[in-house]
């Protein structure tokens, strides 16, 4: 090495070793969007991911129920008297509490021998359809009124808030029983199961918007004082523009979280109405209706086990996914 008092920096290099090459251009660090950050948090929550997978499977089962039943089941309303014991009129296939019949994976129900597997799958279509559409109706009404009340304030806020209190105090179950009992078999150009489904969606969705509106109103009260809203006002933006472009995009996370948690509540509500006999009428298969019929055959627990398990798994999956989604979108709740 050549080193001396007058040696330059370029001379201070070990003999026989080439000078170090300049480092190449470094790769720019890419930022992550809020959606990507939330997705990374959600993926780390194993319980929420398991709930999400179950939800996807339930939706696929509900959509392709006819194809699945054609491959591994029977028509949900067809009778199979050959599966009934002639002496006791009890089903011979009562899995998991008795014998297993590969032709009837979940056994058959008394007293007609209808295939429980097919009825549970078709019941998923009714329950999920009513729960999703009722939740959508509640979200549309609640989010719209909540953001208007929170942003405008004054007498508008007072009127909408009193309406929230009225609907939150309304005895929905009593009203649903009374309304479902007086509606004829044909009304509003609809009849049969279609009329009952529309009626249940209206009852469950219309009278449950108060919770959504209260949450959205509270979030809007804090957002309307933020700098970006003041900036939009100073630039001459009208109230409609601020509501649509500034406030609603920032309310997507709480709306989505509460909607996810509202779906299992609506599933239970629909099952409860069917259990009480004011939901979808027999012989159409619903989980609540199956539980209502199973009460008379309490000595045959398999009849009650399968629809009860379907409700339990569905509600648990939505609750787990909703909790994980809340933590992913709003880490401050941890």
């Amino acid at each position: 090495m050549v080193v001396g008092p007058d040696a330059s920096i370029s001379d201070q290099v070990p003999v026989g070793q080439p000078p170090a090459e300049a480092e190449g251009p470094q790769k720019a660090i890419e930022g992550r969007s809020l959606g990507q950050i939330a997705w990374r948090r959600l993926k780390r929550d194993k319980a929420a991911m398991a709930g999400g997978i179950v939800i996807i499977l339930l939706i696929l089962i509900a959509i392709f129920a006819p194809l699945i039943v054609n491959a591994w089941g029977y028509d949900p309303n067809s009778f199979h008297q050959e599966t009934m014991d002639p002496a006791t009129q009890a089903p011979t296939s009562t899995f998991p509490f008795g014998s297993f019949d590969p032709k009837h994976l979940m056994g058959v129900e008394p007293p007609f021998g209808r295939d429980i597997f097919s009825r549970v799958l078709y019941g998923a279509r009714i329950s999920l359809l009513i729960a999703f559409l009722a939740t959508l109706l509640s979200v549309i009404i609640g989010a719209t009124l909540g953001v208007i009340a929170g942003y405008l304030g004054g007498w508008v806020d007072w009127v909408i808030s009193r309406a929230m209190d009225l609907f939150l105090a309304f005895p929905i179950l009593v009203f649903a029983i009374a309304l479902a009992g007086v509606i004829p078999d044909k009304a509003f150009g609809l009849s049969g199961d279609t009329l009952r489904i529309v009626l249940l969606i209206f009852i469950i969705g219309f009278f449950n918007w108060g919770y959504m509106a209260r949450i959205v109103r509270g979030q809007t009260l804090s957002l309307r004082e933020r700098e970006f809203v003041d900036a939009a006002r100073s630039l001459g933006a009208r109230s409609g523009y601020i509501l649509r472009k500034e406030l609603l995009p920032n309310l997507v996370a709480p709306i989505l979280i509460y909607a996810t948690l509202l779906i299992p509540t609506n599933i239970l509500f629909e099952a409860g109405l069917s259990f009480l006999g004011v939901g979808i009428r027999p012989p159409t298969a619903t989980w609540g209706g199956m539980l209502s019929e199973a009460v008379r055959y309490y000595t045959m627990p398999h009849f009650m086990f399968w629809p009860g398990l379907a409700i339990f798994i569905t509600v648990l999956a939505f609750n787990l996914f909703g909790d994980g989604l809340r933590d992913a979108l709003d880490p401050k709740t941890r």
Side-chain angles (χ1 to χ4, degrees), residues 19-90:
E21 297 182 359
E23 295 183 0
Q26 296 182 351
K27 185 179 179 181
I29 299 176
E30 296 181 0
R32 297 190 182 97
S33 66
L34 293 177
Q36 292 174 327
I37 295 173
W39 171 241
R40 288 171 63 89
R41 294 196 193 103
L42 186 62
K43 286 194 300 183
R44 289 197 293 265
D45 192 335
K46 302 304 182 183
M49 292 301 296
I53 293 172
V54 172
I55 291 171
I56 294 174
L57 291 177
L58 287 170
I59 294 174
L60 293 177
I61 288 173
I63 295 174
F64 298 106
L67 298 178
I68 299 174
V69 168
N70 287 337
W72 292 291
Y74 296 88
D75 183 271
N77 295 322
S78 61
F79 296 168
H80 301 276
Q81 294 292 348
E82 70 278 3
T83 63
M84 308 299 294
D85 189 336
T88 62
Q89 291 299 309

Side-chain angles (χ1 to χ4, degrees), residues 51-133:
I53 293 172
V54 172
I55 291 171
I56 294 174
L57 291 177
L58 287 170
I59 294 174
L60 293 177
I61 288 173
I63 295 174
F64 298 106
L67 298 178
I68 299 174
V69 168
N70 287 337
W72 292 291
Y74 296 88
D75 183 271
N77 295 322
S78 61
F79 296 168
H80 301 276
Q81 294 292 348
E82 70 278 3
T83 63
M84 308 299 294
D85 189 336
T88 62
Q89 291 299 309
T92 57
S93 176
T94 58
F95 183 78
F97 299 96
S99 60
F100 174 73
D101 185 355
K103 295 181 180 180
H104 303 279
L105 300 179
M106 295 182 180
V108 296
E109 64 176 34
F112 306 111
R114 291 182 296 189
D115 185 56
I116 295 179
F117 175 76
S118 302
R119 294 183 66 78
V120 168
L121 263 61
Y122 271 85
R125 309 185 85 186
I126 300 293
S127 295
L128 293 180
L129 175 65
I130 293 176
F132 277 118
L133 294 182

Side-chain angles (χ1 to χ4, degrees), residues 32 86 131 142 153-154 208 219 234 298:
R32 297 190 182 97
N208 273 331
Q219 295 289 327
S234 64
Y298 58 89

